[in-house]
Amino acid sequence: MGKTNLDEFAMGSGSIDGIFGPVKNPWGYSEQYRERLGQDHKREDSDWVIAGGSSGGSAVAVASLTCFASLGSDTGGSTRNPAALCGIVGFKSSYGLLSRHGLVPLVNSMDVPGIMTRCVDDVSIVLGALAGHDPKDSTTIQDPFEPFELPDEIDVRNLCVGIPKEYHAPGLSTEGLKSWTKAADLFENAGARVVEVSLPHTPYSIVCYHVLCTAEVASNMARFDGLEYGHRSEVETSTEALYAATRHEGFNDAVRGRILAGNYFLLKQNYDHYFIKAQRVRRLIANDFLKVFGSGVDVLLTPTTLSDAATYLEFIKEDNRTRSVQEDIFTQSVNLAGMPAVTVPTVLSRRGLPLGIQFIGQAFRDKQLLTVAKWFEQQINFQCINLQGLLNNCDELHKPDISKIVMAPTV
Amino acid sequence: MWSFTRRAAQSVPLLGWLRPNRAVNPRVAVWGRQTGGVGVEESGPGPGPRPGRSKVSMEMIDHLERLALVDFRNQEGVERLADAIQFANQLHVVDTEGVEPMDSVLEDRSLYLRADKVTEGYCTEVILSNAKHVIEEYLVAPPGNIPLPKKEERDSFLQHSN
């Protein structure tokens, strides 16, 4: 078992804010990307490509062909975002299907352990091993879970695919739009019914997520005081001073920002105005999904990210909070409603970087969702990452001492 | 052939809502009433780099730092909070009359409660090994009941503790 890097406390959408350093996207070193950079471009190592976040390390582990599957967390898209930017399959199950025991809680009502693999079949294998009721996580449903295998021959003629019109956001890149359109066409040409649907509260979803997330974060991060585990400051003047110093030293800007915002929204005078209001809006958003699925739609088809992966220098032009708000736009509403969703790599952008397409399913219909995703994957036949250049030029890398490498079994 | 061009004209401009720092973006005006909570001064419309953005008072900063036991550290931290509040204010244009707050998506199911029987445990050593300061199976903390120092004093001792 290997451990991977991520944004600190899973807060972020670039995996650049971890204390061990940032995560770099292997596609930034691929032949597909490098040949499109042009001969005159001097490859500056400071201009590497981000992996997305917050579970960037897990996505990179699979994308770089280091392992077959990895786990991440998905609270607002933290599994699907890096999966899409790294060209792999990223799956968020229905809330309550996978146990959260062992997952450091960020937002208890939205967190789901995410699964990242090279293909959709592998997702169902990993899901089969992990899903089901866990007495140690009382939010897992008690319905019996049967591990399943996805069929190889899939017919989509009886399928109804919904395209939520509000997901056509101005920030969506032309390539993102094109791959979304192409996906819709694929289904239509194969005989599926493709309809436009409306999720009218979509514009408020990211705001609602922001309030609820910071509020729950403020509560969940309160346990990090340095006494029972983790970093502890040297300050010994008083208990409160110890806590304050430990948290000052131990949390980065993004985490502290969310804790303080969350505490603000939870103040007695603000509680109804912000927190309860956000909870009401959450119900409206969840109802939007229920209404659409209740009208005969089987799955929704949306982009996963606004565009392909940015370079690091481009990404850091905005702060962590702004980036999260931008990057999570298509992914977080699914967490508010508890629906399953999966991102499948679709096409390479003009720059040679992957773009993904997201499928959203009905709660606890994960098998149907994955079947649709598998059919799509079969039609697309996404190309494999070409890291030959990187492997040939090993002098560019620090050469590890072979005798010190321990071969970990892959999942 | 699925066409977005017609639909694009009808779709909601999502990102008009998402740029609190872009004071010059005309779509920013869609945000509606900027009603901040107590301790947040309304700067109101008018000349200024961020129209409608509320200022966070010193009292509020101190209050939040005491509650959260997390410091803002610098002006950037305070502005981050002001941005977060301004962003959250967009919620207030949504009509939620008669809508019940939702705690969990699994609200229609009853929570699993296991039987009150000991099934595991007896791992004191492992648990205590996580703590930095332990004396004879006690976690050691500095004296309690001492109030957190005032803001100026806090800021200076936190600088040194870095």
Side-chain angles (χ1 to χ4, degrees):
Chain A
M1 276 290 190
K3 278 172 80 168
T4 53
N5 200 359
L6 71 164
D7 271 317
E8 186 169 305
F9 283 112
M11 300 193 202
S13 56
S15 299
I16 56 170
D17 283 332
I19 200 164
F20 301 105
V23 180
K24 301 184 182 181
N25 194 330
W27 282 89
Y29 299 97
S30 67
E31 292 313 295
Q32 289 103 329
Y33 178 71
R34 303 269 280 265
E35 47 193 45
R36 285 175 226 212
L37 272 185
Q39 305 296 56
D40 49 324
H41 178 98
K42 272 181 82 167
R43 193 184 64 78
E44 300 279 341
D45 203 45
S46 61
D47 210 15
W48 46 269
V49 177
I50 60 155
S54 59
S55 301
S58 298
V60 165
V62 174
S64 59
L65 309 179
T66 314
C67 63
F68 287 100
S70 63
L71 296 179
S73 68
D74 197 315
T75 306
S78 295
T79 292
R80 289 162 285 149
N81 178 293
L85 297 184
C86 291
I88 57 172
V89 176
F91 175 65
K92 174 214 166 295
S93 71
S94 306
Y95 179 83
L97 191 62
L98 281 187
S99 167
R100 290 183 297 114
H101 178 72
L103 179 68
V104 174
L106 184 67
V107 182
N108 298 73
S109 66
M110 298 182 216
D111 284 347
V112 169
I115 299 173
M116 292 188 249
T117 57
R118 297 187 209 173
C119 65
V120 179
D121 270 327
D122 288 351
V123 167
S124 66
I125 297 175
V126 178
L127 186 66
L130 296 178
H133 176 66
D134 181 359
K136 294 187 186 177
D137 177 3
S138 57
T139 57
T140 50
I141 55 164
Q142 293 161 68
D143 301 0
F145 173 78
E146 281 301 319
F148 52 79
E149 247 186 64
L150 299 173
D152 286 317
E153 303 289 323
I154 302 166
D155 183 359
V156 296
R157 277 172 303 174
N158 288 330
L159 192 69
C160 179
V161 178
I163 310 279
K165 64 179 185 195
E166 290 86 359
Y167 278 60
H168 185 190
L172 181 60
S173 63
T174 30
E175 289 175 311
L177 182 60
K178 209 163 125 204
S179 78
W180 191 17
T181 315
K182 177 179 162 200
D185 286 344
L186 258 177
F187 280 98
E188 206 162 41
N189 295 338
R193 199 160 66 94
V194 180
V195 296
E196 184 188 81
V197 296
S198 173
L199 298 169
H201 293 96
T202 303
Y204 309 103
S205 168
I206 186 76
V207 187
C208 173
Y209 172 78
H210 160 76
V211 174
L212 293 180
C213 174
T214 47
E216 291 215 35
V217 156
S219 168
N220 281 325
M221 295 295 126
R223 71 193 66 190
F224 296 106
D225 54 23
L227 281 187
E228 302 94 338
Y229 43 71
H231 173 73
R232 178 183 172 136
S233 162
E234 302 293 317
V235 169
E236 292 288 319
T237 41
S238 71
T239 320
E240 295 226 340
L242 168 69
Y243 293 168
T246 301
R247 290 155 74 81
H248 165 89
E249 293 162 23
F251 288 147
N252 74 8
D253 288 343
V255 179
R256 285 196 341 273
R258 291 204 197 186
I259 295 173
L260 289 164
N263 275 102
Y264 178 82
F265 296 134
L266 291 173
L267 288 175
K268 222 184 326 189
Q269 59 264 36
N270 292 335
Y271 193 79
D272 270 335
H273 201 51
Y274 288 98
F275 183 67
I276 298 291
K277 179 78 181 183
Q279 288 196 314
R280 293 183 210 271
V281 175
R282 181 176 185 178
R283 183 178 297 282
L284 292 176
I285 290 164
N287 286 347
D288 277 356
F289 278 103
L290 289 177
K291 196 151 147 239
V292 159
F293 285 124
S295 70
V297 170
D298 297 305
V299 288
L300 296 173
L301 177 67
T302 78
T304 314
T305 52
L306 290 171
S307 66
D308 58 5
T311 58
Y312 174 69
L313 295 176
E314 189 57 44
F315 192 76
I316 54 171
K317 287 184 182 164
E318 300 278 10
D319 75 353
N320 181 298
R321 195 195 65 85
T322 312
R323 282 301 182 204
S324 294
V325 154
Q326 291 166 349
E327 299 299 321
D328 287 346
I329 189 84
F330 298 127
T331 49
Q332 36 69 34
S333 53
V334 152
N335 294 80
L336 288 171
M339 310 270 139
V342 62
T343 177
V344 179
T346 309
V347 76
L348 287 188
S349 70
R350 205 176 313 125
R351 288 161 68 212
L353 297 173
L355 281 166
I357 277 291
Q358 176 178 237
F359 294 93
I360 301 173
Q362 299 176 64
F364 305 110
R365 302 265 187 100
D366 300 60
K367 180 176 178 189
Q368 180 191 50
L369 174 70
L370 289 173
T371 309
V372 173
K374 179 171 174 177
W375 179 85
F376 182 72
E377 180 188 60
Q378 288 170 336
Q379 313 311 305
I380 288 288
N381 211 4
F382 187 72
Q383 59 179 284
C384 193
I385 187 174
N386 183 348
L387 291 171
Q388 202 51 52
L390 190 66
L391 294 169
N392 289 342
N393 299 328
C394 265
D395 308 309
E396 288 174 46
L397 308 170
H398 163 67
K399 254 206 171 118
D401 182 345
I402 302 291
S403 65
K404 291 212 173 75
I405 290 180
V406 175
M407 291 305 284
T410 55
V411 173
Chain B
M1 155 83 179
W2 187 258
S3 162
F4 278 102
T5 42
R6 179 172 61 83
R7 288 160 182 78
Q10 296 152 11
S11 68
V12 176
L14 263 182
L15 280 202
W17 302 82
L18 298 183
R19 298 195 184 271
N21 298 323
R22 301 275 192 275
V24 292
N25 186 336
R27 285 179 289 195
V28 158
V30 169
W31 285 345
R33 284 139 287 288
Q34 301 294 313
T35 45
V38 170
V40 179
E41 297 151 21
E42 301 299 331
S43 62
R50 299 170 200 259
R53 190 164 170 274
S54 314
K55 198 163 133 14
V56 183
S57 69
M58 275 313 293
E59 197 180 58
M60 175 57 64
I61 291 174
D62 188 40
H63 187 49
L64 287 176
E65 286 193 347
R66 280 175 187 280
L67 277 179
L69 286 179
V70 156
D71 60 315
F72 280 91
R73 195 164 301 195
N74 49 32
Q75 186 56 25
E76 208 187 303
V78 179
E79 288 184 8
R80 211 175 286 130
L81 177 67
D83 280 339
I85 297 169
Q86 190 185 30
F87 186 64
N89 285 336
Q90 294 169 78
L91 269 185
H92 302 120
V93 304
V94 185
D95 178 15
T96 52
E97 192 62 45
V99 180
E100 282 301 302
M102 179 186 244
D103 290 312
S104 162
V105 295
L106 300 177
E107 57 187 1
D108 292 334
R109 297 170 184 259
S110 60
L111 196 69
Y112 171 74
L113 295 173
R114 68 182 181 92
D116 188 13
K117 267 188 348 212
V118 175
T119 51
E120 59 172 357
Y122 311 105
C123 49
T124 323
E125 257 182 56
V126 171
I127 292 182
L128 287 180
S129 68
N130 290 325
K132 270 217 180 134
H133 203 178
V134 168
I135 292 179
E136 281 188 37
E137 296 198 343
Y138 283 91
L139 296 170
V140 181
N145 265 341
I146 297 175
L148 203 59
K150 293 218 177 2
K151 179 135 178 69
E152 302 73 34
E153 217 184 300
R154 267 194 337 253
D155 286 346
S156 76
F157 96 74
L158 283 178
Q159 300 287 9
H160 292 122
S161 87
N162 222 345

PDB file of all heavy atoms in Angstrom, chain A residues 297-324:
ATOM      1  N   VAL A 297     -35.400  10.562 -16.561  1.00  0.00           N
ATOM      2  CA  VAL A 297     -33.996  10.608 -16.953  1.00  0.00           C
ATOM      3  C   VAL A 297     -33.224   9.573 -16.136  1.00  0.00           C
ATOM      4  O   VAL A 297     -33.456   9.434 -14.936  1.00  0.00           O
ATOM      5  CB  VAL A 297     -33.435  12.024 -16.694  1.00  0.00           C
ATOM      6  CG1 VAL A 297     -31.934  12.054 -16.860  1.00  0.00           C
ATOM      7  CG2 VAL A 297     -34.095  13.017 -17.620  1.00  0.00           C
ATOM      8  N   ASP A 298     -32.322   8.831 -16.825  1.00  0.00           N
ATOM      9  CA  ASP A 298     -31.546   7.812 -16.116  1.00  0.00           C
ATOM     10  C   ASP A 298     -30.224   8.352 -15.591  1.00  0.00           C
ATOM     11  O   ASP A 298     -29.832   8.085 -14.472  1.00  0.00           O
ATOM     12  CB  ASP A 298     -31.256   6.630 -17.057  1.00  0.00           C
ATOM     13  CG  ASP A 298     -32.517   5.940 -17.490  1.00  0.00           C
ATOM     14  OD1 ASP A 298     -33.279   5.525 -16.598  1.00  0.00           O
ATOM     15  OD2 ASP A 298     -32.761   5.836 -18.699  1.00  0.00           O
ATOM     16  N   VAL A 299     -29.507   9.072 -16.466  1.00  0.00           N
ATOM     17  CA  VAL A 299     -28.233   9.666 -16.047  1.00  0.00           C
ATOM     18  C   VAL A 299     -28.129  11.083 -16.608  1.00  0.00           C
ATOM     19  O   VAL A 299     -28.752  11.410 -17.607  1.00  0.00           O
ATOM     20  CB  VAL A 299     -26.996   8.868 -16.554  1.00  0.00           C
ATOM     21  CG1 VAL A 299     -26.844   7.575 -15.838  1.00  0.00           C
ATOM     22  CG2 VAL A 299     -27.034   8.678 -18.034  1.00  0.00           C
ATOM     23  N   LEU A 300     -27.331  11.888 -15.942  1.00  0.00           N
ATOM     24  CA  LEU A 300     -27.046  13.230 -16.438  1.00  0.00           C
ATOM     25  C   LEU A 300     -25.640  13.239 -17.003  1.00  0.00           C
ATOM     26  O   LEU A 300     -24.759  12.521 -16.505  1.00  0.00           O
ATOM     27  CB  LEU A 300     -27.147  14.249 -15.293  1.00  0.00           C
ATOM     28  CG  LEU A 300     -28.519  14.408 -14.673  1.00  0.00           C
ATOM     29  CD1 LEU A 300     -28.446  15.299 -13.445  1.00  0.00           C
ATOM     30  CD2 LEU A 300     -29.486  15.017 -15.679  1.00  0.00           C
ATOM     31  N   LEU A 301     -25.459  14.061 -18.026  1.00  0.00           N
ATOM     32  CA  LEU A 301     -24.155  14.145 -18.690  1.00  0.00           C
ATOM     33  C   LEU A 301     -23.673  15.585 -18.583  1.00  0.00           C
ATOM     34  O   LEU A 301     -24.384  16.511 -18.995  1.00  0.00           O
ATOM     35  CB  LEU A 301     -24.343  13.760 -20.169  1.00  0.00           C
ATOM     36  CG  LEU A 301     -23.145  13.840 -21.100  1.00  0.00           C
ATOM     37  CD1 LEU A 301     -22.113  12.808 -20.728  1.00  0.00           C
ATOM     38  CD2 LEU A 301     -23.603  13.614 -22.533  1.00  0.00           C
ATOM     39  N   THR A 302     -22.499  15.791 -17.999  1.00  0.00           N
ATOM     40  CA  THR A 302     -22.003  17.160 -17.827  1.00  0.00           C
ATOM     41  C   THR A 302     -20.489  17.161 -17.999  1.00  0.00           C
ATOM     42  O   THR A 302     -19.862  16.105 -17.940  1.00  0.00           O
ATOM     43  CB  THR A 302     -22.289  17.699 -16.406  1.00  0.00           C
ATOM     44  OG1 THR A 302     -21.338  17.153 -15.492  1.00  0.00           O
ATOM     45  CG2 THR A 302     -23.677  17.370 -15.923  1.00  0.00           C
ATOM     46  N   PRO A 303     -19.888  18.328 -18.192  1.00  0.00           N
ATOM     47  CA  PRO A 303     -18.424  18.375 -18.163  1.00  0.00           C
ATOM     48  C   PRO A 303     -17.968  18.142 -16.717  1.00  0.00           C
ATOM     49  O   PRO A 303     -18.764  18.317 -15.784  1.00  0.00           O
ATOM     50  CB  PRO A 303     -18.077  19.803 -18.587  1.00  0.00           C
ATOM     51  CG  PRO A 303     -19.362  20.454 -18.940  1.00  0.00           C
ATOM     52  CD  PRO A 303     -20.487  19.644 -18.391  1.00  0.00           C
ATOM     53  N   THR A 304     -16.700  17.766 -16.527  1.00  0.00           N
ATOM     54  CA  THR A 304     -16.204  17.598 -15.156  1.00  0.00           C
ATOM     55  C   THR A 304     -15.492  18.863 -14.701  1.00  0.00           C
ATOM     56  O   THR A 304     -15.628  19.289 -13.560  1.00  0.00           O
ATOM     57  CB  THR A 304     -15.222  16.418 -15.063  1.00  0.00           C
ATOM     58  OG1 THR A 304     -15.755  15.308 -15.758  1.00  0.00           O
ATOM     59  CG2 THR A 304     -14.976  16.038 -13.618  1.00  0.00           C
ATOM     60  N   THR A 305     -14.702  19.429 -15.600  1.00  0.00           N
ATOM     61  CA  THR A 305     -13.952  20.645 -15.265  1.00  0.00           C
ATOM     62  C   THR A 305     -14.182  21.694 -16.348  1.00  0.00           C
ATOM     63  O   THR A 305     -14.706  21.381 -17.411  1.00  0.00           O
ATOM     64  CB  THR A 305     -12.439  20.355 -15.202  1.00  0.00           C
ATOM     65  OG1 THR A 305     -12.048  19.703 -16.410  1.00  0.00           O
ATOM     66  CG2 THR A 305     -12.100  19.468 -14.031  1.00  0.00           C
ATOM     67  N   LEU A 306     -13.781  22.910 -16.053  1.00  0.00           N
ATOM     68  CA  LEU A 306     -13.975  23.994 -17.013  1.00  0.00           C
ATOM     69  C   LEU A 306     -13.082  23.816 -18.232  1.00  0.00           C
ATOM     70  O   LEU A 306     -13.458  24.162 -19.351  1.00  0.00           O
ATOM     71  CB  LEU A 306     -13.647  25.338 -16.355  1.00  0.00           C
ATOM     72  CG  LEU A 306     -14.621  25.816 -15.281  1.00  0.00           C
ATOM     73  CD1 LEU A 306     -14.069  27.034 -14.573  1.00  0.00           C
ATOM     74  CD2 LEU A 306     -15.970  26.144 -15.901  1.00  0.00           C
ATOM     75  N   SER A 307     -11.875  23.306 -18.004  1.00  0.00           N
ATOM     76  CA  SER A 307     -10.924  23.164 -19.125  1.00  0.00           C
ATOM     77  C   SER A 307      -9.877  22.130 -18.732  1.00  0.00           C
ATOM     78  O   SER A 307     -10.004  21.482 -17.699  1.00  0.00           O
ATOM     79  CB  SER A 307     -10.248  24.496 -19.402  1.00  0.00           C
ATOM     80  OG  SER A 307      -9.438  24.840 -18.300  1.00  0.00           O
ATOM     81  N   ASP A 308      -8.853  22.009 -19.566  1.00  0.00           N
ATOM     82  CA  ASP A 308      -7.780  21.065 -19.214  1.00  0.00           C
ATOM     83  C   ASP A 308      -6.921  21.662 -18.093  1.00  0.00           C
ATOM     84  O   ASP A 308      -7.156  22.780 -17.641  1.00  0.00           O
ATOM     85  CB  ASP A 308      -6.943  20.712 -20.450  1.00  0.00           C
ATOM     86  CG  ASP A 308      -6.317  21.946 -21.099  1.00  0.00           C
ATOM     87  OD1 ASP A 308      -6.445  23.058 -20.545  1.00  0.00           O
ATOM     88  OD2 ASP A 308      -5.707  21.801 -22.158  1.00  0.00           O
ATOM     89  N   ALA A 309      -5.917  20.902 -17.658  1.00  0.00           N
ATOM     90  CA  ALA A 309      -5.130  21.328 -16.492  1.00  0.00           C
ATOM     91  C   ALA A 309      -4.322  22.582 -16.796  1.00  0.00           C
ATOM     92  O   ALA A 309      -3.733  22.715 -17.864  1.00  0.00           O
ATOM     93  CB  ALA A 309      -4.191  20.190 -16.077  1.00  0.00           C
ATOM     94  N   ALA A 310      -4.274  23.473 -15.828  1.00  0.00           N
ATOM     95  CA  ALA A 310      -3.493  24.705 -16.003  1.00  0.00           C
ATOM     96  C   ALA A 310      -2.045  24.445 -15.608  1.00  0.00           C
ATOM     97  O   ALA A 310      -1.748  23.487 -14.904  1.00  0.00           O
ATOM     98  CB  ALA A 310      -4.077  25.788 -15.107  1.00  0.00           C
ATOM     99  N   THR A 311      -1.143  25.321 -16.037  1.00  0.00           N
ATOM    100  CA  THR A 311       0.218  25.242 -15.516  1.00  0.00           C
ATOM    101  C   THR A 311       0.199  25.832 -14.118  1.00  0.00           C
ATOM    102  O   THR A 311      -0.716  26.583 -13.764  1.00  0.00           O
ATOM    103  CB  THR A 311       1.209  26.051 -16.374  1.00  0.00           C
ATOM    104  OG1 THR A 311       0.760  27.407 -16.398  1.00  0.00           O
ATOM    105  CG2 THR A 311       1.311  25.500 -17.777  1.00  0.00           C
ATOM    106  N   TYR A 312       1.197  25.511 -13.340  1.00  0.00           N
ATOM    107  CA  TYR A 312       1.277  25.982 -11.964  1.00  0.00           C
ATOM    108  C   TYR A 312       1.275  27.507 -11.906  1.00  0.00           C
ATOM    109  O   TYR A 312       0.538  28.116 -11.118  1.00  0.00           O
ATOM    110  CB  TYR A 312       2.549  25.424 -11.328  1.00  0.00           C
ATOM    111  CG  TYR A 312       2.825  25.953  -9.948  1.00  0.00           C
ATOM    112  CD1 TYR A 312       2.009  25.609  -8.876  1.00  0.00           C
ATOM    113  CD2 TYR A 312       3.898  26.805  -9.705  1.00  0.00           C
ATOM    114  CE1 TYR A 312       2.256  26.101  -7.606  1.00  0.00           C
ATOM    115  CE2 TYR A 312       4.158  27.296  -8.443  1.00  0.00           C
ATOM    116  CZ  TYR A 312       3.321  26.942  -7.403  1.00  0.00           C
ATOM    117  OH  TYR A 312       3.580  27.426  -6.148  1.00  0.00           O
ATOM    118  N   LEU A 313       2.056  28.133 -12.759  1.00  0.00           N
ATOM    119  CA  LEU A 313       2.170  29.598 -12.717  1.00  0.00           C
ATOM    120  C   LEU A 313       0.831  30.266 -13.036  1.00  0.00           C
ATOM    121  O   LEU A 313       0.497  31.306 -12.468  1.00  0.00           O
ATOM    122  CB  LEU A 313       3.241  30.072 -13.707  1.00  0.00           C
ATOM    123  CG  LEU A 313       4.655  29.613 -13.348  1.00  0.00           C
ATOM    124  CD1 LEU A 313       5.648  30.036 -14.420  1.00  0.00           C
ATOM    125  CD2 LEU A 313       5.085  30.182 -12.000  1.00  0.00           C
ATOM    126  N   GLU A 314       0.065  29.648 -13.906  1.00  0.00           N
ATOM    127  CA  GLU A 314      -1.255  30.182 -14.242  1.00  0.00           C
ATOM    128  C   GLU A 314      -2.212  29.983 -13.064  1.00  0.00           C
ATOM    129  O   GLU A 314      -2.973  30.864 -12.693  1.00  0.00           O
ATOM    130  CB  GLU A 314      -1.765  29.420 -15.483  1.00  0.00           C
ATOM    131  CG  GLU A 314      -3.019  29.965 -16.111  1.00  0.00           C
ATOM    132  CD  GLU A 314      -2.900  31.415 -16.530  1.00  0.00           C
ATOM    133  OE1 GLU A 314      -1.854  31.789 -17.114  1.00  0.00           O
ATOM    134  OE2 GLU A 314      -3.845  32.178 -16.265  1.00  0.00           O
ATOM    135  N   PHE A 315      -2.138  28.801 -12.465  1.00  0.00           N
ATOM    136  CA  PHE A 315      -3.064  28.430 -11.400  1.00  0.00           C
ATOM    137  C   PHE A 315      -2.919  29.318 -10.175  1.00  0.00           C
ATOM    138  O   PHE A 315      -3.909  29.679  -9.536  1.00  0.00           O
ATOM    139  CB  PHE A 315      -2.834  26.960 -11.019  1.00  0.00           C
ATOM    140  CG  PHE A 315      -3.894  26.377 -10.144  1.00  0.00           C
ATOM    141  CD1 PHE A 315      -5.126  26.009 -10.668  1.00  0.00           C
ATOM    142  CD2 PHE A 315      -3.673  26.194  -8.789  1.00  0.00           C
ATOM    143  CE1 PHE A 315      -6.120  25.467  -9.856  1.00  0.00           C
ATOM    144  CE2 PHE A 315      -4.660  25.646  -7.969  1.00  0.00           C
ATOM    145  CZ  PHE A 315      -5.884  25.289  -8.510  1.00  0.00           C
ATOM    146  N   ILE A 316      -1.665  29.687  -9.836  1.00  0.00           N
ATOM    147  CA  ILE A 316      -1.480  30.439  -8.598  1.00  0.00           C
ATOM    148  C   ILE A 316      -1.809  31.912  -8.727  1.00  0.00           C
ATOM    149  O   ILE A 316      -1.674  32.670  -7.768  1.00  0.00           O
ATOM    150  CB  ILE A 316      -0.049  30.290  -8.026  1.00  0.00           C
ATOM    151  CG1 ILE A 316       0.999  30.669  -9.073  1.00  0.00           C
ATOM    152  CG2 ILE A 316       0.159  28.899  -7.502  1.00  0.00           C
ATOM    153  CD1 ILE A 316       2.394  30.743  -8.496  1.00  0.00           C
ATOM    154  N   LYS A 317      -2.308  32.315  -9.895  1.00  0.00           N
ATOM    155  CA  LYS A 317      -2.685  33.724 -10.042  1.00  0.00           C
ATOM    156  C   LYS A 317      -3.917  34.046  -9.194  1.00  0.00           C
ATOM    157  O   LYS A 317      -4.196  35.210  -8.910  1.00  0.00           O
ATOM    158  CB  LYS A 317      -2.967  34.051 -11.517  1.00  0.00           C
ATOM    159  CG  LYS A 317      -1.700  34.118 -12.345  1.00  0.00           C
ATOM    160  CD  LYS A 317      -1.986  34.539 -13.766  1.00  0.00           C
ATOM    161  CE  LYS A 317      -0.683  34.539 -14.571  1.00  0.00           C
ATOM    162  NZ  LYS A 317      -0.917  34.572 -16.001  1.00  0.00           N
ATOM    163  N   GLU A 318      -4.682  33.029  -8.812  1.00  0.00           N
ATOM    164  CA  GLU A 318      -5.806  33.251  -7.904  1.00  0.00           C
ATOM    165  C   GLU A 318      -5.558  32.446  -6.640  1.00  0.00           C
ATOM    166  O   GLU A 318      -4.868  31.443  -6.681  1.00  0.00           O
ATOM    167  CB  GLU A 318      -7.111  32.743  -8.543  1.00  0.00           C
ATOM    168  CG  GLU A 318      -7.467  33.420  -9.839  1.00  0.00           C
ATOM    169  CD  GLU A 318      -8.166  34.748  -9.619  1.00  0.00           C
ATOM    170  OE1 GLU A 318      -8.208  35.224  -8.474  1.00  0.00           O
ATOM    171  OE2 GLU A 318      -8.669  35.318 -10.601  1.00  0.00           O
ATOM    172  N   ASP A 319      -6.187  32.844  -5.524  1.00  0.00           N
ATOM    173  CA  ASP A 319      -5.927  32.110  -4.276  1.00  0.00           C
ATOM    174  C   ASP A 319      -6.748  30.825  -4.197  1.00  0.00           C
ATOM    175  O   ASP A 319      -7.628  30.572  -5.024  1.00  0.00           O
ATOM    176  CB  ASP A 319      -6.160  33.011  -3.058  1.00  0.00           C
ATOM    177  CG  ASP A 319      -7.635  33.242  -2.759  1.00  0.00           C
ATOM    178  OD1 ASP A 319      -8.504  32.835  -3.547  1.00  0.00           O
ATOM    179  OD2 ASP A 319      -7.925  33.852  -1.715  1.00  0.00           O
ATOM    180  N   ASN A 320      -6.442  30.044  -3.181  1.00  0.00           N
ATOM    181  CA  ASN A 320      -7.036  28.711  -3.013  1.00  0.00           C
ATOM    182  C   ASN A 320      -8.559  28.758  -3.032  1.00  0.00           C
ATOM    183  O   ASN A 320      -9.216  27.963  -3.712  1.00  0.00           O
ATOM    184  CB  ASN A 320      -6.526  28.131  -1.678  1.00  0.00           C
ATOM    185  CG  ASN A 320      -7.045  26.742  -1.395  1.00  0.00           C
ATOM    186  OD1 ASN A 320      -8.232  26.507  -1.258  1.00  0.00           O
ATOM    187  ND2 ASN A 320      -6.127  25.793  -1.287  1.00  0.00           N
ATOM    188  N   ARG A 321      -9.144  29.704  -2.312  1.00  0.00           N
ATOM    189  CA  ARG A 321     -10.600  29.750  -2.195  1.00  0.00           C
ATOM    190  C   ARG A 321     -11.227  30.072  -3.557  1.00  0.00           C
ATOM    191  O   ARG A 321     -12.198  29.434  -3.964  1.00  0.00           O
ATOM    192  CB  ARG A 321     -11.012  30.801  -1.148  1.00  0.00           C
ATOM    193  CG  ARG A 321     -12.465  30.674  -0.703  1.00  0.00           C
ATOM    194  CD  ARG A 321     -12.921  31.923   0.041  1.00  0.00           C
ATOM    195  NE  ARG A 321     -12.928  33.077  -0.821  1.00  0.00           N
ATOM    196  CZ  ARG A 321     -13.943  33.402  -1.616  1.00  0.00           C
ATOM    197  NH1 ARG A 321     -15.027  32.667  -1.631  1.00  0.00           N
ATOM    198  NH2 ARG A 321     -13.854  34.450  -2.393  1.00  0.00           N
ATOM    199  N   THR A 322     -10.674  31.040  -4.257  1.00  0.00           N
ATOM    200  CA  THR A 322     -11.222  31.420  -5.561  1.00  0.00           C
ATOM    201  C   THR A 322     -11.123  30.246  -6.528  1.00  0.00           C
ATOM    202  O   THR A 322     -12.072  29.954  -7.262  1.00  0.00           O
ATOM    203  CB  THR A 322     -10.453  32.614  -6.144  1.00  0.00           C
ATOM    204  OG1 THR A 322     -10.333  33.605  -5.139  1.00  0.00           O
ATOM    205  CG2 THR A 322     -11.155  33.198  -7.356  1.00  0.00           C
ATOM    206  N   ARG A 323      -9.986  29.583  -6.515  1.00  0.00           N
ATOM    207  CA  ARG A 323      -9.794  28.458  -7.427  1.00  0.00           C
ATOM    208  C   ARG A 323     -10.777  27.342  -7.108  1.00  0.00           C
ATOM    209  O   ARG A 323     -11.337  26.737  -8.015  1.00  0.00           O
ATOM    210  CB  ARG A 323      -8.354  27.905  -7.342  1.00  0.00           C
ATOM    211  CG  ARG A 323      -7.330  28.729  -8.083  1.00  0.00           C
ATOM    212  CD  ARG A 323      -7.637  28.840  -9.539  1.00  0.00           C
ATOM    213  NE  ARG A 323      -6.621  29.585 -10.264  1.00  0.00           N
ATOM    214  CZ  ARG A 323      -6.857  30.215 -11.407  1.00  0.00           C
ATOM    215  NH1 ARG A 323      -8.052  30.189 -11.952  1.00  0.00           N
ATOM    216  NH2 ARG A 323      -5.873  30.856 -12.023  1.00  0.00           N
ATOM    217  N   SER A 324     -10.979  27.070  -5.817  1.00  0.00           N
ATOM    218  CA  SER A 324     -11.911  26.004  -5.453  1.00  0.00           C
ATOM    219  C   SER A 324     -13.302  26.333  -5.966  1.00  0.00           C
ATOM    220  O   SER A 324     -14.008  25.463  -6.476  1.00  0.00           O
ATOM    221  CB  SER A 324     -11.971  25.828  -3.935  1.00  0.00           C
ATOM    222  OG  SER A 324     -10.734  25.378  -3.477  1.00  0.00           O
TER     223      SER A 324
END
